[in-house]
Amino acid sequence: MKTPERREDRRKRFFCIHGHFYQPPRANPWTEAIEVEDSAAPYHDWNERICAECYAPNSHARIVNGSGQVQRMINNYEWISFNVGPTLLAWMERHEPRVLEAILDADVKSARRCGGHGNAIAQAFNHTILPLSSRRDKSVQVRWGIEVFRHYFHREPEGMWLPETAVDTETLEVLAENGMRFVVLSPRQAGKVRWEGSESDTADPRQAYRCRLPSGREIALFYYDGETAQRIAFEKLLRDGEHFYQHMNSRFDPGRPEAQLVHVATDGETFGHHHRFGEMALAYLISRLEGEEEAALTNYGEFLSLHPPVAEAEIVENSSWSCAHGVERWRSDCGCRPSGSSAHQRWREPLREALNHLKTRLDEVFEREGRALFRDPWAACDAYIGVLIERSEGRARRFLAEVTPRDLTEEESTRALKLLEMQRHGQLMFTSCAWFFDEISGIETVQILRFAARAIQLAEKNFRVTLEEEFLGLLEKAPSNHSDIENGRVLWEQEVRPAVTDLERVLAHFAINRIFREEPSPLVGNAYSVTSLDASIQETGHAHFAVGDAEVVSLVTLERTRAIYAAVHFGGLDVQFFWMPHDGRNDYDALKAEWTDAFRNGSLGDLYQRLLEVFQGPTHQLKDLFRDEQRKIVQDTLRERVTDYQVLFEQLFDQDHALLNRLAVLRYPIPEPMRMAARVATERRIREQIRWLEGPDDLRALSQLLEQARPWGYRPDASKFERFFLLLLEDRILELSEAEVLGSILKRAEAILEAAALMRVKPNLWNIQNLFVEVSRERADFLGAHKEEVIGFASRIQLNPKALPPSLR
């Protein structure tokens, strides 16, 4: 790898903040889409929530004055060292492209400032604990991580973030072999340190170290400032930006003539997610350090180029930053657990052993079957990352042409891709988060077990092996902390096996959707496509009958099948799905006519009996739909019934409103059923009042509504209303992007802000400010005629008018 040219810098004091931005792979292993995660509410999933709280705010972090008005916005990524996990980059590309664009742009700008050294470094692919991986799997993780970095950042990475900073010599060898110049480690991972004939057991974090490897290669080591990292993560150092700045400055050795690097590494989510407004403390620190004449903000690549290491250091083998026992947190009940937890982790060791055994078996299958399909199976595995980055049939076929010794048949092509997908899920099932927390039934562990299930399914259905039962025999030894789960086998039966998907289930999802939605998407998740060759839906009363002929294709393995299906909706949430291959032995048109006639002229029982004569029986129900669509269908189905409840609650509330007030005067505890009815009725009326706010009269009506509810103890829950206010504000500002007349748009937006203040809700206006700046730039000519109103609204959302286009100031 070509080393960027040095930037001459005579300064001797350097600062570097490293943020490790990462989310585990959360997608359903079959559909490749993230399903709704209730624990992340009010957001769809944890990626979306943490992006809103951290990743996005760091791209436009605020510097505010004493009254809270935004004076300046800083793209923190432009000034800090960082890595973004490969699976998170892929999610951003699909769901948050503006945030991704800000991150990529920051790397380009930082490289210009830092002598060609960008702030971004790579990360091992899916955050496995590399010292616990085989040499081959280490190589896959590192090479896939490098290729993802090249794809997004359009340059070679100089360093790589090690998951949990877990390290051993073999890992460093793999990194050096693949061109990495440095890694960042915790100070407690430093072994012997040598310089100019001296030796120590402690590393000075203010310099880089050379690590000589058994192969003769070298790699640089940066040991971050552990005390500062501790104070950032756990001791509220981010509460005060000035204190943060003073602390960082205090870490220099004033009597040392050599160049010094004061640097710290922490989870990137610290800046905004773990610590609200942490990104603002970071932005303040950056703004102060920008003005330093004798110190400079830098990144590891630039500092290494300017000041190559003169001292040497060894590492503590099998060590990490988040386990005092090395890497035991990911393979034993070592005692490391989230603060305050009393749960045991005896499940960790048998879980690791079960997955290690499974991986060995999967590798045997991969090598045996791969020799007949690939020139070099493991070289094909390394190269497969190109397909993962660019999912398309064309890319997959070009890849196969490059790694196979001959033209493959369609069946062989599918087998080859299934082998590689088996290997990919064999990597994903070691994602470190599965061992980090309290309990084997946590969402992180369930997720990696589903990756294991996908790998097992691919192996057993296609390559003549039996893996699941022996795997479950080992998993059964992993005890849960919960009596209703008991152990890993029970967890598998409850949470993993029901998630297993095949082409039949994909078609069931599509067909049942046809009943509830006229034109369901032909895409199921990001991994399947359904082509409807013929379809018919009949309705009578609350019942529906769907019949069709369709082809289902996996966009991942290119497997396809054609089938005849039928779905009977008996009303409510009761629906049954039938299917069989369309192999030409059945006359589809005749069957369709017979079943349709039975539905129209007979009974549902008669239709059901005729279906049983042709199909083996129903195979799927509403519960088998993928979660997001299932939720939408249930929501639509229940809408009228929920409205009935709402009306009933409002009637009860109206009847008993005076009684509630008398009970309040008497200080008599409001019975819970009465309180619930009153709360539901009041909150619906509050939301309706806010949704149609126009001006002072509406605000007075809202105030009156709140006052009427106060005597019986109602207080608005800010956490429930914040997102509601933000969505309404976004709608108002987006109206500006298309409006031909300003009208009352800004006044209505201001009324929403006043309503929030009235309810003591303090919405985070970060995205509203961004959106308003963006729209004002796009519509500067239109808004120029309303300058005073625009500046007034900017002030209301705590935005300095200097952030607006010149014509609007």
Short mmCIF file of all heavy atoms in Angstrom, two decimals, residues 82-128:
data_model
loop_
_atom_site.label_atom_id
_atom_site.label_comp_id
_atom_site.label_asym_id
_atom_site.label_seq_id
_atom_site.Cartn_x
_atom_site.Cartn_y
_atom_site.Cartn_z
N PHE A 82 -12.16 7.77 13.26
CA PHE A 82 -13.36 6.95 13.46
C PHE A 82 -13.33 5.71 12.58
O PHE A 82 -12.61 5.64 11.58
CB PHE A 82 -14.63 7.75 13.15
CG PHE A 82 -14.78 8.17 11.71
CD1 PHE A 82 -15.37 7.33 10.77
CD2 PHE A 82 -14.31 9.40 11.28
CE1 PHE A 82 -15.50 7.72 9.44
CE2 PHE A 82 -14.42 9.80 9.95
CZ PHE A 82 -15.03 8.95 9.03
N ASN A 83 -14.10 4.73 13.00
CA ASN A 83 -14.43 3.60 12.13
C ASN A 83 -15.93 3.41 12.17
O ASN A 83 -16.58 3.70 13.18
CB ASN A 83 -13.72 2.32 12.56
CG ASN A 83 -14.23 1.78 13.89
OD1 ASN A 83 -13.82 2.26 14.95
ND2 ASN A 83 -15.13 0.81 13.86
N VAL A 84 -16.50 2.99 11.07
CA VAL A 84 -17.93 2.66 11.01
C VAL A 84 -18.02 1.20 10.56
O VAL A 84 -17.47 0.83 9.52
CB VAL A 84 -18.69 3.56 10.01
CG1 VAL A 84 -20.17 3.22 10.03
CG2 VAL A 84 -18.47 5.03 10.36
N GLY A 85 -18.69 0.38 11.35
CA GLY A 85 -18.78 -1.04 11.04
C GLY A 85 -19.37 -1.30 9.66
O GLY A 85 -20.29 -0.60 9.22
N PRO A 86 -18.86 -2.31 8.94
CA PRO A 86 -19.35 -2.61 7.59
C PRO A 86 -20.85 -2.82 7.50
O PRO A 86 -21.50 -2.34 6.57
CB PRO A 86 -18.58 -3.88 7.21
CG PRO A 86 -17.29 -3.75 7.95
CD PRO A 86 -17.67 -3.13 9.28
N THR A 87 -21.44 -3.54 8.46
CA THR A 87 -22.89 -3.77 8.38
C THR A 87 -23.66 -2.48 8.63
O THR A 87 -24.75 -2.29 8.09
CB THR A 87 -23.31 -4.85 9.39
OG1 THR A 87 -22.82 -4.52 10.70
CG2 THR A 87 -22.74 -6.20 8.99
N LEU A 88 -23.10 -1.57 9.42
CA LEU A 88 -23.74 -0.28 9.65
C LEU A 88 -23.63 0.60 8.42
O LEU A 88 -24.58 1.32 8.07
CB LEU A 88 -23.11 0.41 10.86
CG LEU A 88 -23.67 1.79 11.25
CD1 LEU A 88 -25.18 1.73 11.48
CD2 LEU A 88 -22.97 2.32 12.50
N LEU A 89 -22.50 0.57 7.73
CA LEU A 89 -22.35 1.33 6.49
C LEU A 89 -23.40 0.90 5.47
O LEU A 89 -24.02 1.74 4.80
CB LEU A 89 -20.95 1.13 5.91
CG LEU A 89 -19.80 1.86 6.59
CD1 LEU A 89 -18.46 1.35 6.07
CD2 LEU A 89 -19.90 3.37 6.37
N ALA A 90 -23.60 -0.42 5.35
CA ALA A 90 -24.59 -0.92 4.38
C ALA A 90 -25.99 -0.46 4.76
O ALA A 90 -26.79 -0.10 3.89
CB ALA A 90 -24.52 -2.45 4.32
N TRP A 91 -26.30 -0.45 6.05
CA TRP A 91 -27.62 0.02 6.50
C TRP A 91 -27.79 1.50 6.18
O TRP A 91 -28.85 1.93 5.70
CB TRP A 91 -27.78 -0.23 7.99
CG TRP A 91 -29.08 0.25 8.53
CD1 TRP A 91 -30.27 -0.42 8.53
CD2 TRP A 91 -29.35 1.54 9.11
NE1 TRP A 91 -31.27 0.37 9.08
CE2 TRP A 91 -30.73 1.58 9.45
CE3 TRP A 91 -28.57 2.66 9.38
CZ2 TRP A 91 -31.33 2.68 10.03
CZ3 TRP A 91 -29.15 3.76 9.96
CH2 TRP A 91 -30.52 3.78 10.29
N MET A 92 -26.76 2.30 6.46
CA MET A 92 -26.84 3.73 6.17
C MET A 92 -27.06 3.98 4.68
O MET A 92 -27.84 4.86 4.29
CB MET A 92 -25.57 4.44 6.62
CG MET A 92 -25.43 4.63 8.11
SD MET A 92 -23.90 5.51 8.51
CE MET A 92 -24.07 5.68 10.29
N GLU A 93 -26.38 3.22 3.84
CA GLU A 93 -26.52 3.42 2.41
C GLU A 93 -27.98 3.24 1.97
O GLU A 93 -28.47 3.98 1.11
CB GLU A 93 -25.63 2.43 1.67
CG GLU A 93 -25.65 2.60 0.17
CD GLU A 93 -24.67 1.70 -0.55
OE1 GLU A 93 -24.33 0.62 0.00
OE2 GLU A 93 -24.22 2.04 -1.66
N ARG A 94 -28.67 2.31 2.60
CA ARG A 94 -30.05 2.03 2.22
C ARG A 94 -31.05 2.96 2.90
O ARG A 94 -32.03 3.38 2.31
CB ARG A 94 -30.39 0.57 2.56
CG ARG A 94 -31.78 0.11 2.13
CD ARG A 94 -32.02 -1.32 2.54
NE ARG A 94 -31.15 -2.25 1.85
CZ ARG A 94 -31.42 -2.79 0.66
NH1 ARG A 94 -32.55 -2.47 0.04
NH2 ARG A 94 -30.59 -3.63 0.10
N HIS A 95 -30.78 3.30 4.18
CA HIS A 95 -31.79 4.00 4.98
C HIS A 95 -31.44 5.43 5.35
O HIS A 95 -32.33 6.24 5.59
CB HIS A 95 -32.06 3.21 6.27
CG HIS A 95 -32.62 1.85 6.04
ND1 HIS A 95 -33.93 1.62 5.75
CD2 HIS A 95 -32.02 0.62 6.03
CE1 HIS A 95 -34.15 0.32 5.58
NE2 HIS A 95 -33.01 -0.30 5.75
N GLU A 96 -30.16 5.77 5.46
CA GLU A 96 -29.75 7.12 5.86
C GLU A 96 -28.62 7.62 4.96
O GLU A 96 -27.51 7.89 5.43
CB GLU A 96 -29.31 7.13 7.33
CG GLU A 96 -30.42 6.88 8.32
CD GLU A 96 -31.39 8.05 8.44
OE1 GLU A 96 -31.04 9.15 7.95
OE2 GLU A 96 -32.48 7.87 9.02
N PRO A 97 -28.88 7.76 3.67
CA PRO A 97 -27.80 8.14 2.73
C PRO A 97 -27.20 9.51 3.04
O PRO A 97 -26.02 9.73 2.76
CB PRO A 97 -28.49 8.12 1.36
CG PRO A 97 -29.96 8.21 1.65
CD PRO A 97 -30.16 7.54 2.97
N ARG A 98 -27.99 10.44 3.60
CA ARG A 98 -27.44 11.76 3.90
C ARG A 98 -26.38 11.68 5.01
O ARG A 98 -25.37 12.38 4.97
CB ARG A 98 -28.55 12.73 4.30
CG ARG A 98 -29.44 13.15 3.14
CD ARG A 98 -30.30 14.33 3.51
NE ARG A 98 -31.14 14.06 4.67
CZ ARG A 98 -31.91 14.95 5.28
NH1 ARG A 98 -31.94 16.19 4.84
NH2 ARG A 98 -32.64 14.62 6.32
N VAL A 99 -26.63 10.84 5.99
CA VAL A 99 -25.64 10.66 7.07
C VAL A 99 -24.38 10.01 6.51
O VAL A 99 -23.26 10.43 6.81
CB VAL A 99 -26.23 9.82 8.21
CG1 VAL A 99 -25.18 9.58 9.29
CG2 VAL A 99 -27.45 10.51 8.81
N LEU A 100 -24.56 8.99 5.67
CA LEU A 100 -23.41 8.33 5.06
C LEU A 100 -22.61 9.32 4.22
O LEU A 100 -21.37 9.35 4.27
CB LEU A 100 -23.86 7.15 4.21
CG LEU A 100 -22.75 6.41 3.46
CD1 LEU A 100 -21.71 5.83 4.42
CD2 LEU A 100 -23.33 5.31 2.58
N GLU A 101 -23.30 10.13 3.45
CA GLU A 101 -22.61 11.13 2.62
C GLU A 101 -21.79 12.09 3.47
O GLU A 101 -20.66 12.44 3.12
CB GLU A 101 -23.64 11.91 1.80
CG GLU A 101 -23.03 12.93 0.85
CD GLU A 101 -24.07 13.70 0.07
OE1 GLU A 101 -25.28 13.38 0.19
OE2 GLU A 101 -23.69 14.63 -0.68
N ALA A 102 -22.33 12.50 4.62
CA ALA A 102 -21.59 13.40 5.51
C ALA A 102 -20.34 12.72 6.05
O ALA A 102 -19.28 13.36 6.20
CB ALA A 102 -22.49 13.85 6.66
N ILE A 103 -20.42 11.44 6.35
CA ILE A 103 -19.27 10.70 6.87
C ILE A 103 -18.19 10.55 5.80
O ILE A 103 -17.00 10.77 6.07
CB ILE A 103 -19.73 9.31 7.38
CG1 ILE A 103 -20.57 9.47 8.65
CG2 ILE A 103 -18.55 8.39 7.63
CD1 ILE A 103 -21.23 8.20 9.13
N LEU A 104 -18.60 10.21 4.60
CA LEU A 104 -17.63 10.04 3.51
C LEU A 104 -16.98 11.37 3.15
O LEU A 104 -15.76 11.44 2.90
CB LEU A 104 -18.31 9.42 2.29
CG LEU A 104 -18.99 8.06 2.51
CD1 LEU A 104 -19.60 7.56 1.22
CD2 LEU A 104 -18.01 7.04 3.06
N ASP A 105 -17.78 12.42 3.13
CA ASP A 105 -17.25 13.75 2.83
C ASP A 105 -16.25 14.19 3.90
O ASP A 105 -15.23 14.81 3.61
CB ASP A 105 -18.41 14.75 2.74
CG ASP A 105 -17.94 16.14 2.35
OD1 ASP A 105 -17.35 16.29 1.27
OD2 ASP A 105 -18.16 17.09 3.13
N ALA A 106 -16.55 13.85 5.15
CA ALA A 106 -15.64 14.20 6.25
C ALA A 106 -14.28 13.53 6.07
O ALA A 106 -13.23 14.14 6.34
CB ALA A 106 -16.26 13.79 7.58
N ASP A 107 -14.29 12.29 5.62
CA ASP A 107 -13.01 11.59 5.42
C ASP A 107 -12.19 12.26 4.33
O ASP A 107 -10.97 12.43 4.47
CB ASP A 107 -13.26 10.12 5.07
CG ASP A 107 -11.97 9.35 4.91
OD1 ASP A 107 -11.27 9.16 5.92
OD2 ASP A 107 -11.66 8.95 3.77
N VAL A 108 -12.84 12.67 3.25
CA VAL A 108 -12.13 13.35 2.16
C VAL A 108 -11.52 14.66 2.66
O VAL A 108 -10.34 14.96 2.40
CB VAL A 108 -13.10 13.63 0.99
CG1 VAL A 108 -12.43 14.53 -0.06
CG2 VAL A 108 -13.55 12.31 0.35
N LYS A 109 -12.29 15.44 3.40
CA LYS A 109 -11.79 16.72 3.89
C LYS A 109 -10.67 16.54 4.90
O LYS A 109 -9.71 17.31 4.94
CB LYS A 109 -12.93 17.53 4.49
CG LYS A 109 -13.91 18.04 3.44
CD LYS A 109 -15.08 18.80 4.07
CE LYS A 109 -16.01 19.33 2.98
NZ LYS A 109 -17.22 19.98 3.56
N SER A 110 -10.79 15.51 5.74
CA SER A 110 -9.73 15.28 6.73
C SER A 110 -8.43 14.88 6.05
O SER A 110 -7.34 15.25 6.50
CB SER A 110 -10.17 14.21 7.73
OG SER A 110 -10.28 12.93 7.11
N ALA A 111 -8.53 14.13 4.97
CA ALA A 111 -7.32 13.74 4.24
C ALA A 111 -6.61 14.95 3.65
O ALA A 111 -5.38 15.02 3.64
CB ALA A 111 -7.67 12.72 3.15
N ARG A 112 -7.39 15.92 3.18
CA ARG A 112 -6.77 17.15 2.66
C ARG A 112 -6.05 17.90 3.77
O ARG A 112 -4.98 18.46 3.56
CB ARG A 112 -7.85 18.04 2.05
CG ARG A 112 -8.47 17.51 0.77
CD ARG A 112 -9.59 18.42 0.32
NE ARG A 112 -10.38 17.83 -0.76
CZ ARG A 112 -11.65 18.13 -1.01
NH1 ARG A 112 -12.28 19.01 -0.24
NH2 ARG A 112 -12.29 17.56 -2.01
N ARG A 113 -6.64 17.91 4.96
CA ARG A 113 -6.04 18.65 6.06
C ARG A 113 -4.85 17.93 6.67
O ARG A 113 -3.92 18.56 7.19
CB ARG A 113 -7.11 18.87 7.14
CG ARG A 113 -6.68 19.83 8.25
CD ARG A 113 -7.72 19.94 9.36
NE ARG A 113 -7.74 18.77 10.23
CZ ARG A 113 -8.69 17.86 10.23
NH1 ARG A 113 -9.73 17.98 9.42
NH2 ARG A 113 -8.64 16.81 11.05
N CYS A 114 -4.87 16.60 6.62
CA CYS A 114 -3.87 15.80 7.35
C CYS A 114 -2.88 15.12 6.42
O CYS A 114 -2.50 13.95 6.63
CB CYS A 114 -4.58 14.77 8.21
SG CYS A 114 -5.62 15.48 9.50
N GLY A 115 -2.47 15.80 5.37
CA GLY A 115 -1.41 15.28 4.52
C GLY A 115 -1.74 13.99 3.80
O GLY A 115 -0.86 13.14 3.59
N GLY A 116 -3.00 13.82 3.43
CA GLY A 116 -3.39 12.62 2.70
C GLY A 116 -3.88 11.49 3.57
O GLY A 116 -4.25 10.43 3.07
N HIS A 117 -3.92 11.69 4.88
CA HIS A 117 -4.35 10.64 5.81
C HIS A 117 -5.78 10.93 6.26
O HIS A 117 -6.04 11.88 7.01
CB HIS A 117 -3.43 10.59 7.03
CG HIS A 117 -1.99 10.38 6.70
ND1 HIS A 117 -1.42 9.14 6.57
CD2 HIS A 117 -1.00 11.29 6.44
CE1 HIS A 117 -0.14 9.28 6.27
NE2 HIS A 117 0.14 10.57 6.18
N GLY A 118 -6.74 10.11 5.80
CA GLY A 118 -8.13 10.31 6.18
C GLY A 118 -8.40 9.85 7.60
O GLY A 118 -7.68 9.01 8.16
N ASN A 119 -9.47 10.39 8.18
CA ASN A 119 -9.83 10.03 9.56
C ASN A 119 -10.34 8.60 9.68
O ASN A 119 -10.22 7.98 10.74
CB ASN A 119 -10.91 10.97 10.08
CG ASN A 119 -10.36 12.34 10.46
OD1 ASN A 119 -9.16 12.51 10.62
ND2 ASN A 119 -11.26 13.32 10.59
N ALA A 120 -10.95 8.07 8.64
CA ALA A 120 -11.60 6.76 8.74
C ALA A 120 -10.57 5.64 8.73
O ALA A 120 -9.58 5.68 8.00
CB ALA A 120 -12.59 6.58 7.60
N ILE A 121 -10.82 4.62 9.56
CA ILE A 121 -10.06 3.38 9.48
C ILE A 121 -11.06 2.24 9.30
O ILE A 121 -12.27 2.41 9.49
CB ILE A 121 -9.18 3.15 10.72
CG1 ILE A 121 -10.03 2.94 11.99
CG2 ILE A 121 -8.21 4.32 10.91
CD1 ILE A 121 -9.21 2.56 13.22
N ALA A 122 -10.56 1.09 8.94
CA ALA A 122 -11.43 -0.05 8.65
C ALA A 122 -11.82 -0.77 9.95
O ALA A 122 -11.34 -0.45 11.04
CB ALA A 122 -10.72 -1.02 7.71
N GLN A 123 -12.71 -1.74 9.82
CA GLN A 123 -13.10 -2.59 10.95
C GLN A 123 -13.26 -4.02 10.46
O GLN A 123 -13.73 -4.26 9.35
CB GLN A 123 -14.42 -2.12 11.57
CG GLN A 123 -14.87 -2.98 12.76
CD GLN A 123 -16.35 -2.88 13.05
OE1 GLN A 123 -16.82 -1.85 13.50
NE2 GLN A 123 -17.09 -3.95 12.79
N ALA A 124 -12.87 -4.98 11.29
CA ALA A 124 -13.13 -6.38 10.97
C ALA A 124 -14.63 -6.55 10.71
O ALA A 124 -15.46 -5.95 11.39
CB ALA A 124 -12.68 -7.28 12.11
N PHE A 125 -14.99 -7.39 9.76
CA PHE A 125 -16.29 -7.35 9.10
C PHE A 125 -17.48 -7.30 10.04
O PHE A 125 -18.23 -6.33 10.05
CB PHE A 125 -16.42 -8.54 8.14
CG PHE A 125 -17.71 -8.54 7.36
CD1 PHE A 125 -17.95 -7.56 6.41
CD2 PHE A 125 -18.68 -9.48 7.60
CE1 PHE A 125 -19.14 -7.54 5.69
CE2 PHE A 125 -19.87 -9.48 6.89
CZ PHE A 125 -20.10 -8.50 5.93
N ASN A 126 -17.73 -8.35 10.82
CA ASN A 126 -18.96 -8.35 11.63
C ASN A 126 -18.69 -8.46 13.11
O ASN A 126 -19.49 -8.97 13.88
CB ASN A 126 -19.94 -9.44 11.18
CG ASN A 126 -19.40 -10.85 11.36
OD1 ASN A 126 -18.76 -11.36 10.46
ND2 ASN A 126 -19.66 -11.48 12.48
N HIS A 127 -17.52 -7.90 13.53
CA HIS A 127 -17.27 -7.71 14.96
C HIS A 127 -17.17 -9.04 15.70
O HIS A 127 -17.76 -9.22 16.77
CB HIS A 127 -18.35 -6.82 15.57
CG HIS A 127 -17.84 -5.91 16.64
ND1 HIS A 127 -17.85 -6.24 17.97
CD2 HIS A 127 -17.28 -4.67 16.58
CE1 HIS A 127 -17.35 -5.25 18.69
NE2 HIS A 127 -16.99 -4.27 17.86
N THR A 128 -16.39 -9.95 15.18
CA THR A 128 -16.10 -11.18 15.92
C THR A 128 -14.86 -10.96 16.77
O THR A 128 -14.02 -10.11 16.46
CB THR A 128 -15.86 -12.37 14.96
OG1 THR A 128 -14.67 -12.13 14.21
CG2 THR A 128 -17.02 -12.55 14.02
#
